[in-house]
Amino acid sequence: EGIDTAAAETALSNARTAIGDAEEAVEAASTAVTEALASETPRDSLAAVRPQIAAAKESIRKAHEALRAAAQALPRPAKAEP
């Protein structure tokens, strides 16, 4: 109906990329935790995994921000006049 959605589509593409990055970071952290728990010294091994967990949290935060930006980029429909 003549509404320009280019900015929203770009923002959505960015959000999808950020979500994919977050999924990869969470999977990597999950694998690292599993391996740490299976090690001979899980407590020491888990300490080494903390940076990966922090990176996964940051990736999730960035994905959330990107998704919010995509939602805010959606054009608002004009209000119908009575």
Side-chain angles (χ1 to χ4, degrees):
E1 198 175 294
I3 297 174
D4 182 16
T5 60
E9 289 173 21
T10 299
L12 183 57
S13 177
N14 292 340
R16 285 184 174 139
T17 299
I19 290 168
D21 292 345
E23 287 174 336
E24 289 176 13
V26 168
E27 183 63 33
S30 176
T31 299
V33 167
T34 300
E35 291 172 358
L37 291 173
S39 74
E40 297 277 329
T41 55
R43 182 173 293 184
D44 296 335
S45 297
L46 282 173
V49 173
R50 285 200 171 106
Q52 285 181 292
I53 294 170
K57 283 176 61 174
E58 180 65 16
S59 292
I60 292 168
R61 188 188 63 72
K62 287 180 180 179
H64 180 249
E65 287 177 5
L67 197 54
R68 288 188 67 186
Q72 290 176 348
L74 288 170
R76 305 287 185 254
K79 292 186 178 185
E81 294 184 30

